[in-house]
Amino acid sequence: QELWTPGAIAKFFPKLTKKGYRMQPPADFLKTKVFEELREVQRFAVENEFGSIEWETPVDLIGVDLNRAVSICPDGVEVFPRCLYDDEEKPPRGSGLNGPAIVSIRGIRFADSNSRTMEEFVDELKETCQRIGAEFVEYFFGEGILRYRIFGGC
């Protein structure tokens, strides 16, 4: 197996240039991989200041434009936004970047008040996860981080 030539890297290497976004494993590490290894990247993640998404199954990164495919904002994560992708352009639900993943959203803070308890707040987070078709994983009170599992097609 040969390493890619510079021209092949430019054509097939995943693109992520959005300000503040990072990928794990890092781009420099991925550039050392051969073509076949980029078809099944384990524990791939994209993150920014608002949160992250880490895929639970191997993902195919050949030619993927992550700038377009992944959006992480304070309200959550969107993979293959409907306004940018037709269903035919996406991997089948449950596979690749359209597969199961753990989403972490930062800045979800419990506001101390007389109207609800911390337990009620967490129950609301669980209901929100269920409403969007996700599974609540955990909430870190001190850090204000909500973690939930998506099953593809978010």
Side-chain angles (χ1 to χ4, degrees), residues 69-100:
V70 178
S71 176
I72 305 170
C73 62
D75 295 336
V77 168
E78 195 169 9
V79 180
F80 299 113
R82 288 187 183 121
C83 63
L84 298 176
Y85 286 89
D86 294 329
D87 286 340
E88 299 81 37
E89 293 180 87
K90 304 175 191 178
R93 185 167 187 206
S95 68
L97 290 180
N98 208 11

PDB file of all heavy atoms in Angstrom, residues 69-100:
ATOM      1  N   ALA A  69     -21.204  19.138   5.424  1.00  0.00           N
ATOM      2  CA  ALA A  69     -21.940  17.998   5.973  1.00  0.00           C
ATOM      3  C   ALA A  69     -22.241  18.099   7.456  1.00  0.00           C
ATOM      4  O   ALA A  69     -23.198  17.498   7.932  1.00  0.00           O
ATOM      5  CB  ALA A  69     -21.167  16.705   5.702  1.00  0.00           C
ATOM      6  N   VAL A  70     -21.429  18.836   8.220  1.00  0.00           N
ATOM      7  CA  VAL A  70     -21.580  18.862   9.678  1.00  0.00           C
ATOM      8  C   VAL A  70     -21.724  20.294  10.172  1.00  0.00           C
ATOM      9  O   VAL A  70     -20.916  21.152   9.835  1.00  0.00           O
ATOM     10  CB  VAL A  70     -20.373  18.195  10.383  1.00  0.00           C
ATOM     11  CG1 VAL A  70     -20.521  18.271  11.902  1.00  0.00           C
ATOM     12  CG2 VAL A  70     -20.213  16.750   9.928  1.00  0.00           C
ATOM     13  N   SER A  71     -22.751  20.517  10.978  1.00  0.00           N
ATOM     14  CA  SER A  71     -22.963  21.818  11.602  1.00  0.00           C
ATOM     15  C   SER A  71     -23.186  21.603  13.095  1.00  0.00           C
ATOM     16  O   SER A  71     -24.034  20.799  13.491  1.00  0.00           O
ATOM     17  CB  SER A  71     -24.171  22.506  10.983  1.00  0.00           C
ATOM     18  OG  SER A  71     -24.438  23.717  11.647  1.00  0.00           O
ATOM     19  N   ILE A  72     -22.413  22.311  13.914  1.00  0.00           N
ATOM     20  CA  ILE A  72     -22.560  22.231  15.369  1.00  0.00           C
ATOM     21  C   ILE A  72     -22.838  23.634  15.866  1.00  0.00           C
ATOM     22  O   ILE A  72     -22.028  24.551  15.673  1.00  0.00           O
ATOM     23  CB  ILE A  72     -21.286  21.672  16.042  1.00  0.00           C
ATOM     24  CG1 ILE A  72     -20.910  20.313  15.449  1.00  0.00           C
ATOM     25  CG2 ILE A  72     -21.482  21.575  17.552  1.00  0.00           C
ATOM     26  CD1 ILE A  72     -19.544  19.798  15.882  1.00  0.00           C
ATOM     27  N   CYS A  73     -23.999  23.818  16.489  1.00  0.00           N
ATOM     28  CA  CYS A  73     -24.384  25.131  16.997  1.00  0.00           C
ATOM     29  C   CYS A  73     -24.889  24.977  18.432  1.00  0.00           C
ATOM     30  O   CYS A  73     -25.016  23.858  18.929  1.00  0.00           O
ATOM     31  CB  CYS A  73     -25.427  25.762  16.084  1.00  0.00           C
ATOM     32  SG  CYS A  73     -26.949  24.830  15.973  1.00  0.00           S
ATOM     33  N   PRO A  74     -25.191  26.060  19.121  1.00  0.00           N
ATOM     34  CA  PRO A  74     -25.626  25.944  20.513  1.00  0.00           C
ATOM     35  C   PRO A  74     -26.878  25.076  20.704  1.00  0.00           C
ATOM     36  O   PRO A  74     -27.070  24.490  21.770  1.00  0.00           O
ATOM     37  CB  PRO A  74     -25.917  27.394  20.926  1.00  0.00           C
ATOM     38  CG  PRO A  74     -25.074  28.216  20.026  1.00  0.00           C
ATOM     39  CD  PRO A  74     -25.030  27.461  18.714  1.00  0.00           C
ATOM     40  N   ASP A  75     -27.706  24.958  19.666  1.00  0.00           N
ATOM     41  CA  ASP A  75     -28.940  24.176  19.776  1.00  0.00           C
ATOM     42  C   ASP A  75     -28.754  22.695  19.506  1.00  0.00           C
ATOM     43  O   ASP A  75     -29.639  21.898  19.775  1.00  0.00           O
ATOM     44  CB  ASP A  75     -29.995  24.703  18.799  1.00  0.00           C
ATOM     45  CG  ASP A  75     -30.423  26.117  19.139  1.00  0.00           C
ATOM     46  OD1 ASP A  75     -30.286  26.513  20.311  1.00  0.00           O
ATOM     47  OD2 ASP A  75     -30.887  26.811  18.237  1.00  0.00           O
ATOM     48  N   GLY A  76     -27.620  22.317  18.915  1.00  0.00           N
ATOM     49  CA  GLY A  76     -27.411  20.910  18.602  1.00  0.00           C
ATOM     50  C   GLY A  76     -26.546  20.720  17.372  1.00  0.00           C
ATOM     51  O   GLY A  76     -25.844  21.623  16.943  1.00  0.00           O
ATOM     52  N   VAL A  77     -26.651  19.533  16.819  1.00  0.00           N
ATOM     53  CA  VAL A  77     -25.822  19.126  15.691  1.00  0.00           C
ATOM     54  C   VAL A  77     -26.709  18.766  14.513  1.00  0.00           C
ATOM     55  O   VAL A  77     -27.788  18.198  14.696  1.00  0.00           O
ATOM     56  CB  VAL A  77     -24.961  17.898  16.098  1.00  0.00           C
ATOM     57  CG1 VAL A  77     -24.313  17.256  14.906  1.00  0.00           C
ATOM     58  CG2 VAL A  77     -23.931  18.297  17.123  1.00  0.00           C
ATOM     59  N   GLU A  78     -26.245  19.092  13.323  1.00  0.00           N
ATOM     60  CA  GLU A  78     -26.944  18.657  12.121  1.00  0.00           C
ATOM     61  C   GLU A  78     -25.920  18.035  11.181  1.00  0.00           C
ATOM     62  O   GLU A  78     -24.869  18.615  10.920  1.00  0.00           O
ATOM     63  CB  GLU A  78     -27.640  19.838  11.448  1.00  0.00           C
ATOM     64  CG  GLU A  78     -28.659  19.405  10.439  1.00  0.00           C
ATOM     65  CD  GLU A  78     -29.537  20.562   9.963  1.00  0.00           C
ATOM     66  OE1 GLU A  78     -29.267  21.723  10.283  1.00  0.00           O
ATOM     67  OE2 GLU A  78     -30.502  20.258   9.240  1.00  0.00           O
ATOM     68  N   VAL A  79     -26.208  16.823  10.729  1.00  0.00           N
ATOM     69  CA  VAL A  79     -25.355  16.123   9.784  1.00  0.00           C
ATOM     70  C   VAL A  79     -26.153  15.975   8.488  1.00  0.00           C
ATOM     71  O   VAL A  79     -27.298  15.545   8.507  1.00  0.00           O
ATOM     72  CB  VAL A  79     -24.926  14.740  10.321  1.00  0.00           C
ATOM     73  CG1 VAL A  79     -24.033  14.018   9.328  1.00  0.00           C
ATOM     74  CG2 VAL A  79     -24.214  14.881  11.669  1.00  0.00           C
ATOM     75  N   PHE A  80     -25.540  16.343   7.384  1.00  0.00           N
ATOM     76  CA  PHE A  80     -26.210  16.372   6.087  1.00  0.00           C
ATOM     77  C   PHE A  80     -27.500  17.194   6.168  1.00  0.00           C
ATOM     78  O   PHE A  80     -28.604  16.667   6.010  1.00  0.00           O
ATOM     79  CB  PHE A  80     -26.496  14.963   5.564  1.00  0.00           C
ATOM     80  CG  PHE A  80     -25.273  14.132   5.351  1.00  0.00           C
ATOM     81  CD1 PHE A  80     -25.014  13.019   6.122  1.00  0.00           C
ATOM     82  CD2 PHE A  80     -24.356  14.480   4.365  1.00  0.00           C
ATOM     83  CE1 PHE A  80     -23.878  12.264   5.937  1.00  0.00           C
ATOM     84  CE2 PHE A  80     -23.210  13.727   4.166  1.00  0.00           C
ATOM     85  CZ  PHE A  80     -22.969  12.615   4.953  1.00  0.00           C
ATOM     86  N   PRO A  81     -27.371  18.514   6.421  1.00  0.00           N
ATOM     87  CA  PRO A  81     -28.564  19.365   6.538  1.00  0.00           C
ATOM     88  C   PRO A  81     -29.490  19.224   5.329  1.00  0.00           C
ATOM     89  O   PRO A  81     -29.037  19.168   4.188  1.00  0.00           O
ATOM     90  CB  PRO A  81     -27.988  20.781   6.603  1.00  0.00           C
ATOM     91  CG  PRO A  81     -26.579  20.604   7.051  1.00  0.00           C
ATOM     92  CD  PRO A  81     -26.132  19.268   6.526  1.00  0.00           C
ATOM     93  N   ARG A  82     -30.768  19.135   5.605  1.00  0.00           N
ATOM     94  CA  ARG A  82     -31.773  18.945   4.541  1.00  0.00           C
ATOM     95  C   ARG A  82     -31.738  20.048   3.498  1.00  0.00           C
ATOM     96  O   ARG A  82     -32.025  19.824   2.332  1.00  0.00           O
ATOM     97  CB  ARG A  82     -33.161  18.853   5.158  1.00  0.00           C
ATOM     98  CG  ARG A  82     -33.385  17.561   5.880  1.00  0.00           C
ATOM     99  CD  ARG A  82     -34.829  17.416   6.331  1.00  0.00           C
ATOM    100  NE  ARG A  82     -34.948  16.190   7.086  1.00  0.00           N
ATOM    101  CZ  ARG A  82     -35.359  16.128   8.342  1.00  0.00           C
ATOM    102  NH1 ARG A  82     -35.706  17.222   8.976  1.00  0.00           N
ATOM    103  NH2 ARG A  82     -35.427  14.974   8.954  1.00  0.00           N
ATOM    104  N   CYS A  83     -31.384  21.263   3.944  1.00  0.00           N
ATOM    105  CA  CYS A  83     -31.359  22.381   2.991  1.00  0.00           C
ATOM    106  C   CYS A  83     -30.178  22.286   2.029  1.00  0.00           C
ATOM    107  O   CYS A  83     -30.158  22.972   1.005  1.00  0.00           O
ATOM    108  CB  CYS A  83     -31.328  23.710   3.736  1.00  0.00           C
ATOM    109  SG  CYS A  83     -29.860  23.958   4.757  1.00  0.00           S
ATOM    110  N   LEU A  84     -29.196  21.417   2.304  1.00  0.00           N
ATOM    111  CA  LEU A  84     -28.020  21.282   1.452  1.00  0.00           C
ATOM    112  C   LEU A  84     -27.901  19.936   0.751  1.00  0.00           C
ATOM    113  O   LEU A  84     -27.156  19.803  -0.207  1.00  0.00           O
ATOM    114  CB  LEU A  84     -26.746  21.499   2.284  1.00  0.00           C
ATOM    115  CG  LEU A  84     -26.576  22.863   2.940  1.00  0.00           C
ATOM    116  CD1 LEU A  84     -25.319  22.880   3.805  1.00  0.00           C
ATOM    117  CD2 LEU A  84     -26.506  23.959   1.886  1.00  0.00           C
ATOM    118  N   TYR A  85     -28.621  18.919   1.245  1.00  0.00           N
ATOM    119  CA  TYR A  85     -28.462  17.563   0.717  1.00  0.00           C
ATOM    120  C   TYR A  85     -29.796  16.932   0.361  1.00  0.00           C
ATOM    121  O   TYR A  85     -30.756  17.029   1.129  1.00  0.00           O
ATOM    122  CB  TYR A  85     -27.786  16.646   1.750  1.00  0.00           C
ATOM    123  CG  TYR A  85     -26.323  16.892   1.928  1.00  0.00           C
ATOM    124  CD1 TYR A  85     -25.854  17.812   2.850  1.00  0.00           C
ATOM    125  CD2 TYR A  85     -25.388  16.196   1.173  1.00  0.00           C
ATOM    126  CE1 TYR A  85     -24.504  18.035   3.016  1.00  0.00           C
ATOM    127  CE2 TYR A  85     -24.031  16.409   1.332  1.00  0.00           C
ATOM    128  CZ  TYR A  85     -23.594  17.331   2.264  1.00  0.00           C
ATOM    129  OH  TYR A  85     -22.255  17.549   2.420  1.00  0.00           O
ATOM    130  N   ASP A  86     -29.829  16.261  -0.769  1.00  0.00           N
ATOM    131  CA  ASP A  86     -30.949  15.385  -1.108  1.00  0.00           C
ATOM    132  C   ASP A  86     -30.693  14.047  -0.445  1.00  0.00           C
ATOM    133  O   ASP A  86     -29.539  13.698  -0.169  1.00  0.00           O
ATOM    134  CB  ASP A  86     -31.034  15.170  -2.627  1.00  0.00           C
ATOM    135  CG  ASP A  86     -31.370  16.450  -3.366  1.00  0.00           C
ATOM    136  OD1 ASP A  86     -32.081  17.300  -2.789  1.00  0.00           O
ATOM    137  OD2 ASP A  86     -30.897  16.592  -4.510  1.00  0.00           O
ATOM    138  N   ASP A  87     -31.738  13.264  -0.232  1.00  0.00           N
ATOM    139  CA  ASP A  87     -31.576  11.952   0.386  1.00  0.00           C
ATOM    140  C   ASP A  87     -30.608  11.062  -0.391  1.00  0.00           C
ATOM    141  O   ASP A  87     -29.879  10.268   0.193  1.00  0.00           O
ATOM    142  CB  ASP A  87     -32.927  11.243   0.540  1.00  0.00           C
ATOM    143  CG  ASP A  87     -33.757  11.854   1.667  1.00  0.00           C
ATOM    144  OD1 ASP A  87     -33.172  12.537   2.543  1.00  0.00           O
ATOM    145  OD2 ASP A  87     -34.982  11.648   1.668  1.00  0.00           O
ATOM    146  N   GLU A  88     -30.575  11.211  -1.703  1.00  0.00           N
ATOM    147  CA  GLU A  88     -29.702  10.377  -2.538  1.00  0.00           C
ATOM    148  C   GLU A  88     -28.223  10.673  -2.307  1.00  0.00           C
ATOM    149  O   GLU A  88     -27.371   9.838  -2.585  1.00  0.00           O
ATOM    150  CB  GLU A  88     -30.027  10.562  -4.029  1.00  0.00           C
ATOM    151  CG  GLU A  88     -31.439  10.174  -4.423  1.00  0.00           C
ATOM    152  CD  GLU A  88     -32.466  11.269  -4.101  1.00  0.00           C
ATOM    153  OE1 GLU A  88     -32.158  12.474  -4.233  1.00  0.00           O
ATOM    154  OE2 GLU A  88     -33.577  10.901  -3.686  1.00  0.00           O
ATOM    155  N   GLU A  89     -27.903  11.879  -1.827  1.00  0.00           N
ATOM    156  CA  GLU A  89     -26.508  12.271  -1.608  1.00  0.00           C
ATOM    157  C   GLU A  89     -25.943  11.738  -0.295  1.00  0.00           C
ATOM    158  O   GLU A  89     -24.737  11.732  -0.108  1.00  0.00           O
ATOM    159  CB  GLU A  89     -26.380  13.790  -1.589  1.00  0.00           C
ATOM    160  CG  GLU A  89     -26.657  14.462  -2.905  1.00  0.00           C
ATOM    161  CD  GLU A  89     -26.501  15.964  -2.768  1.00  0.00           C
ATOM    162  OE1 GLU A  89     -25.363  16.447  -2.923  1.00  0.00           O
ATOM    163  OE2 GLU A  89     -27.503  16.638  -2.490  1.00  0.00           O
ATOM    164  N   LYS A  90     -26.804  11.339   0.622  1.00  0.00           N
ATOM    165  CA  LYS A  90     -26.378  10.909   1.948  1.00  0.00           C
ATOM    166  C   LYS A  90     -26.088   9.406   1.960  1.00  0.00           C
ATOM    167  O   LYS A  90     -26.694   8.651   1.201  1.00  0.00           O
ATOM    168  CB  LYS A  90     -27.495  11.151   2.968  1.00  0.00           C
ATOM    169  CG  LYS A  90     -27.992  12.557   3.053  1.00  0.00           C
ATOM    170  CD  LYS A  90     -29.165  12.620   3.995  1.00  0.00           C
ATOM    171  CE  LYS A  90     -29.873  13.938   3.941  1.00  0.00           C
ATOM    172  NZ  LYS A  90     -31.044  13.975   4.816  1.00  0.00           N
ATOM    173  N   PRO A  91     -25.182   8.987   2.853  1.00  0.00           N
ATOM    174  CA  PRO A  91     -25.030   7.538   3.044  1.00  0.00           C
ATOM    175  C   PRO A  91     -26.351   6.987   3.597  1.00  0.00           C
ATOM    176  O   PRO A  91     -27.139   7.731   4.198  1.00  0.00           O
ATOM    177  CB  PRO A  91     -23.930   7.410   4.090  1.00  0.00           C
ATOM    178  CG  PRO A  91     -23.294   8.748   4.197  1.00  0.00           C
ATOM    179  CD  PRO A  91     -24.292   9.750   3.699  1.00  0.00           C
ATOM    180  N   PRO A  92     -26.593   5.700   3.446  1.00  0.00           N
ATOM    181  CA  PRO A  92     -27.817   5.132   4.020  1.00  0.00           C
ATOM    182  C   PRO A  92     -27.880   5.395   5.527  1.00  0.00           C
ATOM    183  O   PRO A  92     -26.847   5.439   6.192  1.00  0.00           O
ATOM    184  CB  PRO A  92     -27.684   3.633   3.742  1.00  0.00           C
ATOM    185  CG  PRO A  92     -26.675   3.518   2.660  1.00  0.00           C
ATOM    186  CD  PRO A  92     -25.774   4.709   2.771  1.00  0.00           C
ATOM    187  N   ARG A  93     -29.082   5.597   6.024  1.00  0.00           N
ATOM    188  CA  ARG A  93     -29.250   5.843   7.458  1.00  0.00           C
ATOM    189  C   ARG A  93     -28.628   4.697   8.244  1.00  0.00           C
ATOM    190  O   ARG A  93     -28.825   3.536   7.926  1.00  0.00           O
ATOM    191  CB  ARG A  93     -30.725   5.965   7.814  1.00  0.00           C
ATOM    192  CG  ARG A  93     -30.897   6.335   9.258  1.00  0.00           C
ATOM    193  CD  ARG A  93     -32.272   6.756   9.594  1.00  0.00           C
ATOM    194  NE  ARG A  93     -32.238   7.250  10.966  1.00  0.00           N
ATOM    195  CZ  ARG A  93     -33.255   7.257  11.757  1.00  0.00           C
ATOM    196  NH1 ARG A  93     -34.416   6.844  11.342  1.00  0.00           N
ATOM    197  NH2 ARG A  93     -33.130   7.703  12.984  1.00  0.00           N
ATOM    198  N   GLY A  94     -27.839   5.057   9.254  1.00  0.00           N
ATOM    199  CA  GLY A  94     -27.187   4.065  10.093  1.00  0.00           C
ATOM    200  C   GLY A  94     -25.773   3.735   9.662  1.00  0.00           C
ATOM    201  O   GLY A  94     -25.089   2.955  10.313  1.00  0.00           O
ATOM    202  N   SER A  95     -25.286   4.358   8.556  1.00  0.00           N
ATOM    203  CA  SER A  95     -23.926   4.052   8.110  1.00  0.00           C
ATOM    204  C   SER A  95     -23.141   5.333   7.858  1.00  0.00           C
ATOM    205  O   SER A  95     -23.705   6.388   7.575  1.00  0.00           O
ATOM    206  CB  SER A  95     -23.954   3.198   6.847  1.00  0.00           C
ATOM    207  OG  SER A  95     -24.452   3.936   5.766  1.00  0.00           O
ATOM    208  N   GLY A  96     -21.818   5.224   7.952  1.00  0.00           N
ATOM    209  CA  GLY A  96     -20.940   6.358   7.706  1.00  0.00           C
ATOM    210  C   GLY A  96     -21.271   7.551   8.583  1.00  0.00           C
ATOM    211  O   GLY A  96     -21.615   7.396   9.758  1.00  0.00           O
ATOM    212  N   LEU A  97     -21.186   8.749   8.011  1.00  0.00           N
ATOM    213  CA  LEU A  97     -21.516   9.957   8.778  1.00  0.00           C
ATOM    214  C   LEU A  97     -23.004  10.061   9.063  1.00  0.00           C
ATOM    215  O   LEU A  97     -23.436  10.945   9.801  1.00  0.00           O
ATOM    216  CB  LEU A  97     -21.066  11.207   8.010  1.00  0.00           C
ATOM    217  CG  LEU A  97     -19.565  11.448   7.902  1.00  0.00           C
ATOM    218  CD1 LEU A  97     -19.299  12.727   7.108  1.00  0.00           C
ATOM    219  CD2 LEU A  97     -18.906  11.531   9.253  1.00  0.00           C
ATOM    220  N   ASN A  98     -23.794   9.174   8.521  1.00  0.00           N
ATOM    221  CA  ASN A  98     -25.234   9.135   8.783  1.00  0.00           C
ATOM    222  C   ASN A  98     -25.540   8.010   9.775  1.00  0.00           C
ATOM    223  O   ASN A  98     -26.647   7.498   9.820  1.00  0.00           O
ATOM    224  CB  ASN A  98     -25.995   8.922   7.468  1.00  0.00           C
ATOM    225  CG  ASN A  98     -27.377   9.524   7.510  1.00  0.00           C
ATOM    226  OD1 ASN A  98     -27.721  10.265   8.416  1.00  0.00           O
ATOM    227  ND2 ASN A  98     -28.180   9.196   6.525  1.00  0.00           N
ATOM    228  N   GLY A  99     -24.515   7.637  10.541  1.00  0.00           N
ATOM    229  CA  GLY A  99     -24.644   6.519  11.474  1.00  0.00           C
ATOM    230  C   GLY A  99     -24.721   6.960  12.923  1.00  0.00           C
ATOM    231  O   GLY A  99     -24.755   8.154  13.229  1.00  0.00           O
ATOM    232  N   PRO A 100     -24.732   5.987  13.826  1.00  0.00           N
ATOM    233  CA  PRO A 100     -24.860   6.280  15.255  1.00  0.00           C
ATOM    234  C   PRO A 100     -23.671   7.075  15.777  1.00  0.00           C
ATOM    235  O   PRO A 100     -22.523   6.838  15.381  1.00  0.00           O
ATOM    236  CB  PRO A 100     -24.935   4.898  15.897  1.00  0.00           C
ATOM    237  CG  PRO A 100     -24.368   3.948  14.908  1.00  0.00           C
ATOM    238  CD  PRO A 100     -24.579   4.553  13.562  1.00  0.00           C
TER     239      PRO A 100
END
